[in-house]
Amino acid sequence: MSEINTEITPEITPEITPEIVAEHGLNEEEYARILCALNREPNINELGIFSVMWSEHCSYKSSRRHLATLPTEAPWVICGPGENAGVIDIGDGQTAIFKMESHNHPSFIEPYQGAATGVGGILRDVFTMGARPIANLNALRFGSPDHPKTKHLLAGVVEGIGGYGNCVGIPTIAGQTEFDPAYDGNILVNAMTIGIADADKVFYSAAAGIGNSVVYVGSKTGRDGIHGATMASAEFDDDSDEKRPTVQVGDPFTEKLLIEACLELMAGDSIVAIQDMGAAGLTSSAVEMASKGDVGLELDLDMVPQREEDMTPYEMMLSESQERMLMVLEPGREDEAMAIFRKWDLDFAIIGKVTDTKHLTLLHKGEVVGDIPIGPLVDDAPNYDRPHDVKPAAFAAETPDIPAPNNLGDALAQMIGSHHLSSRRWIWEQYDHQVMGDTVVLPGGDAGVVRIHGTNKALATTTDCTPRYCYADPVEGGKQAVAETWRNISAVGATPLAITNCLNFGNPEKPEIMSQFVGCIQGISEACRALDYPVVSGNVSLYNETNGKAVLPTPAIGGVGLMQDYTKLTTVAFKVDGEAVFIIGKTQGHLTQSIYARDLIGVTTGPAPFVDLVAEKKHSEFVRAQIDQGHLTACHDVSDGGALVALAEMAMAGRIGMDITHDAGHGFWFGEDQGRYIVTTNDAESLVQAAKAANVPLTRLGTTGGDMIASQLVSSLTDVSEQWMPNYMAAP
Amino acid sequence: MKSAVIVFPGSNCDRDVAVALEQVSGQKPTMVWHGDSALPEVDLVVLPGGFSFGDYLRSGAMAGRSPIMKDVVDRAHKGKPTLGICNGFQILTETGLLPGALMRNAGLKFVCRSVTLKVEHANSAFTNAYTNGDLIDIPVAHHDGNYFADADTLSALEDNGQVAFRYQDNPNGSLNDIAGIYNESRSVLGLMPHPERAIGDELGSSDGRKMFESLIANL
């Protein structure tokens, strides 16, 4: 083992004082662990590496033990959590590879670049594994529409997501956007990518082959994004704008070249292992590869392509410059790989080799400037059991008074034209949702659907979460988030297969926040187990707090399902006049935590709706079978706003009204009971028989036709729905 | 019909247009790398959509100066049918094969939506399966589609019947609602909308098929 450089230039490698340790976000106990791991004091480079690897963002130190309880297996799961993304078998020798990730903190500070690089990062996670990305999704949460920053943040985030995804040429096909004052100081920007790879062409990150070259490809390394992972692991305060220099800058053009170059190289057999440089850049990618392969890596930092002059080892190891990848190549294949990257005008540099030392060794100007045993760096990372309630507190089962509206139709119009339920067209028209030529359900439906290129198969995908339910009852809220993705995928006729998640919470050091986290995980677990719908990848974002005010618990779920024949898919739009309209599932009229109660009555107390997972599964199986047999002409899941809002959405999509014949109160029309779908059919009798045979609750609501619904003109509802967001964004 | 699709770094509709050409003609086009210096012998040259060179300088400006473009321009001058879609249209204006320029959308935002076009002049190899006055639905997806030309150029375009397609509800501020134009001899067509995205009802429209059918019938 080489000697560590002790001839220290003070400004480059200062003495490690308690202040410097604290600035790196490490507490005393964690620093003691470092001393133990190294058996000596770290130098500044090593301290920096420990600090990012042990940050909440990279080490999952508050969440790890809880995440371990999530179900991650099923016969169709090829690779669960732990790699860059999850991999599931979709038949015919193909896999779907997907993951969702947060870019909350950077997007609040610099919305365009924060959101853009969030998209870039999640795309890399997916194509690193050998997949060609085929769809992007997102889940966005902003503060109150009245908050002075909201418009600017929304405009910037949407433009950033579009700016990156459109240029790279991956369609953005679905998403979720909501507003709530709880996000005034911390917006949530969660991005998801799905890709397709042949099952025998999935690439992993475990380095292997002592002496093999470690190769750096992509963009040059600059000073941007240093300490981004550490920023994402702390609360904000009033001076958060000063953190702007830690936000990276995206270059989607280079990303597009990187995708093409990597996929071209992956078509051959010269890659042993590959890993993108995401949060904590070169540090985390090198450590991941070495740790997974149980080997060491020696990196000669002089060989790292650098964008700026005189970069120190510390800066190079902690830079979060974008569009970079690290690879281990088979011996003697360097020239072949280099030719491909040169063709695409990308940097290609051999920066090190695989060693048998199980250490990460850093060389710079002929000196060893860092030498860390990989084992302790990864395995000895802190793993906290933060205090939390054993049974997370739910809102009391009180029954606040939620009065009926004076007029059902007026209430409907008010809801449809609200910030929560109005059309998101203003957003999704800024995303190229059709590039690649396989988008068969446009944004605005229950789930986005993309064909698997050259086949009749398709993937249906959606992102969902109802944070107000999670706040009122973390367990039911966690269940509901999973169940809603399940329902949205089933509603188009696809079979849900697996989920990814992005768990956005406040400061985990506060027991009430940790209790929300643990409760939501419990709910997600229960739902995934009951539905046989495992978690294959995910991401945790904690410390979403500003001045002590946390976001609502927001475990965003991204679901993926498979359709064998996309020509059978069903959309939400009413198709023709004179068809029977039914609701599937039981309606008890659960009004507490509903949009009606919150936005029209101003009541936010009372329990979240209960999710009956047995019914959820049964109803979805019934719906899918009916779609497969061609018995349904339209299908829509019932969620925010309840049954009447769902009906209005179907009417607006089809520009056809409805004669409502079912007589019921506002609890029926606006209640948010779970496990329900609205369907239309031209053969009511058969559907009634089938539902009876399957023991599925089915209620006739009326008949399609005319240009009115609930005494409102469908076109007027469309107008108020379409106008809210453009008017809001255009207002001074 | 033999065709070539030019692939620039950052092209991202190259595959889509190749799929459309193959689906309609039954023949796979040749994909030609921008760094090559000569085109293969083909009946049609296509410049696809995307963000060539990231559009970082000016949409199409860098691609217009790629090595392959010398041969593309030479052959277009000799009458080789040349089609530019979206970024391809921008590249055609950069090379001078088509007049005018495509500026940032008037709304300043990227816009992706289906638009209704009026077929203005269907008398070309690209369009004669349509009829003058046809209304067709084709998606647009661009940030820089706002067609501009000086007054003289514009009236020349109109007088010569070089306006191929006009927006019915202008999404980007283009002068005279111009969505696509021919050169004087109608051997070059540039348009912002994406006919390759409208080749089947499952994609929302099949109104783009007739463009490829016209080409196959004529070339």
Side-chain angles (χ1 to χ4, degrees):
Chain A
M1 189 50 45
S2 333
E3 285 292 304
I4 291 287
N5 178 17
T6 48
E7 286 186 17
I8 289 165
T9 319
E11 63 270 46
I12 297 172
T13 48
E15 191 189 340
I16 306 301
T17 61
E19 290 74 34
I20 288 184
V21 171
E23 278 169 17
H24 280 78
L26 293 159
N27 63 30
E28 278 177 35
E29 190 233 310
E30 288 167 348
Y31 187 63
R33 276 172 188 262
I34 294 175
L35 296 179
C36 229
L38 290 176
N39 229 348
R40 60 176 167 78
E41 286 210 339
N43 66 21
I44 188 73
N45 304 324
E46 294 164 333
L47 184 75
I49 288 170
F50 271 103
S51 102
V52 292
M53 289 307 298
W54 288 8
S55 69
E56 188 67 60
H57 194 81
C58 292
S59 74
Y60 294 86
K61 59 191 171 191
S62 302
S63 60
R64 215 149 80 224
R65 62 183 61 229
H66 303 289
L67 297 175
T69 63
L70 291 167
T72 59
E73 289 175 2
W76 53 89
V77 174
I78 294 174
C79 174
E83 276 289 339
N84 284 296
V87 184
I88 59 170
D89 187 352
I90 54 168
D92 304 311
Q94 287 185 307
T95 66
I97 301 185
F98 60 97
K99 189 183 180 188
M100 178 156 46
E101 210 165 61
S102 62
H103 232 212
N104 304 336
H105 295 82
S107 300
F108 183 77
I109 293 170
E110 214 303 282
Y112 184 95
Q113 291 297 345
T117 53
V119 174
I122 196 64
L123 280 167
R124 279 194 299 287
D125 276 334
V126 166
F127 73 77
T128 300
M129 297 198 70
R132 178 171 286 281
I134 63 164
N136 282 332
L137 296 89
N138 53 66
L140 310 178
R141 284 173 172 89
F142 298 95
S144 159
D146 305 327
H147 190 274
K149 277 191 175 171
T150 299
K151 239 177 248 180
H152 156 73
L153 291 169
L154 172 62
V157 164
V158 170
E159 203 175 342
I161 290 173
Y164 207 100
N166 298 348
C167 179
V168 172
I170 314 298
T172 301
I173 61 165
Q176 194 190 14
T177 304
E178 71 176 306
F179 302 89
D180 191 291
Y183 305 103
D184 280 351
N186 296 80
I187 62 171
L188 303 183
V189 175
N190 298 170
M192 173 173 165
T193 295
I194 309 175
I196 298 284
D198 287 343
D200 58 357
K201 277 288 180 190
V202 178
F203 290 81
Y204 296 97
S205 59
I210 307 306
N212 281 352
S213 295
V214 175
V215 168
Y216 170 120
V217 297
S219 288
K220 291 182 184 358
T221 296
R223 289 192 171 95
D224 47 336
I226 292 175
H227 279 312
T230 314
M231 172 178 80
S233 305
E235 288 182 39
F236 278 165
D237 53 31
D238 293 332
D239 301 325
S240 295
D241 277 355
E242 289 172 12
K243 294 185 176 168
R244 190 165 290 136
T246 59
V247 178
Q248 317 87 323
V249 176
D251 175 2
F253 171 58
T254 297
E255 179 102 335
K256 167 68 174 166
L257 303 185
L258 197 55
I259 293 177
E260 299 306 332
C262 285
L263 291 177
E264 194 171 326
L265 183 61
M266 285 164 166
D269 57 2
S270 57
I271 298 175
V272 175
I274 180 164
Q275 168 80 35
D276 78 301
M277 295 192 219
L282 195 49
T283 291
S284 70
S285 56
V287 171
E288 283 287 313
M289 293 180 89
S291 165
K292 292 244 169 64
D294 199 23
V295 293
L297 288 189
E298 182 184 280
L299 303 183
D300 182 353
L301 298 178
D302 297 319
M303 306 306 290
V304 170
Q306 293 159 48
R307 199 196 304 146
E308 296 170 61
E309 286 179 4
D310 301 323
M311 287 190 70
T312 63
Y314 180 90
E315 290 168 331
M316 278 188 261
M317 291 307 291
L318 298 192
S319 162
E320 289 191 6
S321 290
Q322 299 287 293
E323 295 91 21
R324 302 178 299 160
M325 315 278 271
L326 203 59
M327 299 188 292
V328 173
L329 292 180
E330 295 284 358
R333 308 294 290 276
E334 293 85 351
D335 289 349
E336 171 191 331
M338 184 161 70
I340 292 174
F341 285 88
R342 289 277 185 267
K343 171 187 154 191
W344 289 100
D345 282 326
L346 293 166
D347 269 297
F348 176 99
I350 298 169
I351 65 163
K353 60 181 188 228
V354 179
T355 66
D356 61 2
T357 61
K358 301 190 184 180
H359 278 233
L360 175 65
T361 312
L362 306 176
L363 306 176
H364 189 237
K365 299 191 192 301
E367 311 259 11
V368 176
V369 294
D371 184 25
I372 304 177
I374 299 284
L377 185 55
V378 176
D379 302 332
D380 294 355
N383 181 353
Y384 296 128
D385 188 3
R386 306 251 191 225
H388 57 88
D389 300 334
V390 179
K391 190 179 179 312
F395 282 15
E398 58 174 295
T399 44
D401 183 33
I402 300 171
N406 292 331
N407 179 301
L408 203 66
D410 291 348
L412 173 66
Q414 202 181 333
M415 289 168 74
I416 291 286
S418 72
H419 68 78
H420 192 79
L421 291 171
S422 56
S423 165
R424 284 359 186 186
R425 181 182 301 274
W426 185 90
I427 293 176
W428 55 256
E429 282 195 346
Q430 293 185 57
Y431 304 148
D432 191 336
H433 45 262
Q434 290 180 302
V435 63
M436 299 185 89
D438 283 311
T439 306
V440 288
V441 173
L442 299 184
D446 277 339
V449 183
V450 277
R451 272 190 309 216
I452 295 167
H453 193 67
T455 74
N456 261 14
K457 289 162 60 176
L459 294 180
T461 180
T462 175
T463 57
D464 292 291
C465 179
T466 312
R468 64 184 186 280
Y469 295 170
C470 297
Y471 188 62
D473 187 335
V475 177
E476 287 307 316
K479 283 163 65 179
Q480 196 274 342
V482 175
E484 191 170 343
T485 67
W486 175 270
R487 220 178 295 142
N488 277 325
I489 291 168
S490 299
V492 297
T495 306
L497 291 178
I499 64 166
T500 180
N501 59 39
C502 191
L503 309 171
N504 309 274
F505 289 81
N507 180 348
E509 295 161 43
K510 297 179 180 168
E512 67 273 23
I513 300 291
M514 203 59 212
S515 302
Q516 292 172 347
F517 183 80
V518 173
C520 285
I521 291 270
Q522 188 191 324
I524 292 169
S525 278
E526 280 177 30
C528 290
R529 277 180 223 284
L531 299 170
D532 210 4
Y533 191 36
V535 180
V536 296
S537 57
N539 164 250
V540 179
S541 173
L542 301 175
Y543 298 96
N544 292 290
E545 289 205 25
T546 295
N547 293 331
K549 187 169 174 268
V551 297
L552 293 176
T554 311
I557 305 293
V560 174
L562 179 67
M563 272 196 104
Q564 292 300 335
D565 181 358
Y566 79 87
T567 62
K568 292 183 173 179
L569 71 84
T570 300
T571 61
V572 301
F574 285 159
K575 300 300 182 299
V576 290
D577 285 6
E579 293 196 324
V581 183
F582 290 94
I583 188 165
I584 290 170
K586 261 192 210 143
T587 306
Q588 287 170 325
H590 190 106
L591 279 170
T592 56
Q593 298 305 328
S594 69
I595 288 299
Y596 175 77
R598 187 190 75 178
D599 291 353
L600 267 63
I601 309 299
V603 171
T604 54
T605 55
F610 172 72
V611 182
D612 176 348
L613 294 165
V614 174
E616 198 71 63
K617 189 165 192 188
K618 192 165 77 174
H619 300 172
S620 72
E621 282 164 357
F622 178 74
V623 164
R624 288 198 301 272
Q626 294 304 311
I627 291 174
D628 189 57
Q629 292 158 27
H631 293 160
L632 302 184
T633 48
C635 182
H636 188 15
D637 95 302
V638 180
S639 56
D640 278 359
L644 191 57
V645 166
L647 290 169
E649 287 167 348
M650 298 173 84
M652 290 189 289
R655 298 177 189 185
I656 292 174
M658 176 183 170
D659 177 25
I660 295 176
T661 51
H662 183 72
D663 188 21
H666 68 300
F668 182 93
W669 296 116
F670 295 131
E672 296 184 5
D673 307 69
Q674 298 294 298
R676 298 183 300 162
Y677 302 80
I678 310 256
V679 300
T680 62
T681 178
N682 51 25
D683 183 357
E685 192 47 40
S686 301
L687 190 66
V688 170
Q689 292 305 324
K692 201 174 278 174
N695 196 21
V696 166
L698 185 75
T699 309
R700 177 84 183 250
L701 298 181
T703 305
T704 61
D707 55 3
M708 312 272 285
I709 183 166
S711 67
Q712 298 287 317
L713 270 173
V714 173
S715 58
S716 308
L717 290 176
T718 302
D719 287 346
V720 294
S721 173
E722 293 295 346
Q723 281 163 4
W724 185 84
M725 196 170 276
N727 287 349
Y728 169 67
M729 293 308 292
Chain B
M1 179 185 70
K2 284 194 202 157
S3 57
V5 176
I6 314 294
V7 182
F8 299 95
S11 293
N12 64 29
C13 301
D14 44 333
R15 187 188 80 174
D16 301 357
V17 77
V19 166
L21 285 164
E22 187 182 352
Q23 220 183 76
V24 182
S25 75
Q27 261 183 297
K28 256 192 204 317
T30 309
M31 307 306 278
V32 178
W33 183 239
H34 79 112
D36 292 355
S37 52
L39 287 166
E41 279 312 317
V42 291
D43 307 308
L44 170 73
V45 177
V46 180
L47 306 178
F51 287 73
S52 55
F53 297 91
D55 282 350
Y56 288 159
L57 175 59
R58 189 175 63 232
S59 301
M62 299 276 287
R65 287 145 185 87
S66 270
I68 193 68
M69 288 309 293
K70 190 179 176 301
D71 201 26
V72 171
V73 172
D74 286 350
R75 296 207 198 193
H77 281 311
K78 290 176 190 150
K80 180 68 69 188
T82 305
L83 170 65
I85 302 170
C86 197
N87 197 218
F89 184 14
Q90 294 160 346
I91 295 167
L92 288 173
T93 61
E94 281 289 337
T95 60
L97 284 173
L98 291 174
L102 293 142
M103 308 191 303
R104 179 106 321 177
N105 293 346
L108 303 180
K109 293 191 183 345
F110 189 95
V111 57
C112 178
R113 72 168 75 120
S114 183
V115 296
T116 303
L117 305 177
K118 183 175 170 202
V119 180
E120 206 65 35
H121 293 285
N123 52 350
S124 79
F126 305 95
T127 50
N128 62 10
Y130 297 107
T131 306
N132 284 359
D134 276 357
L135 295 180
I136 58 174
D137 290 334
I138 311 266
V140 293
H142 58 247
H143 214 155
D144 299 320
N146 181 355
Y147 184 77
F148 177 86
D150 59 56
D152 292 346
T153 307
L154 215 50
S155 48
L157 284 174
E158 297 287 358
D159 295 347
N160 301 337
Q162 286 175 250
V163 176
F165 302 103
R166 235 187 273 277
Y167 299 114
Q168 294 302 286
D169 185 7
N170 192 335
N172 53 30
S174 289
L175 290 178
N176 293 17
D177 299 325
I178 285 173
I181 54 170
Y182 305 112
N183 64 349
E184 277 182 51
S185 62
R186 294 192 174 74
S187 62
V188 177
L189 169 66
L191 76 167
M192 288 313 294
H194 288 271
E196 81 280 15
R197 296 187 185 186
I199 54 165
D201 292 339
E202 73 280 7
L203 300 174
S205 169
S206 47
D207 290 350
R209 281 188 86 91
K210 278 191 182 168
M211 182 175 295
F212 300 101
E213 287 165 2
S214 304
L215 287 163
I216 286 149
N218 291 301
L219 304 180

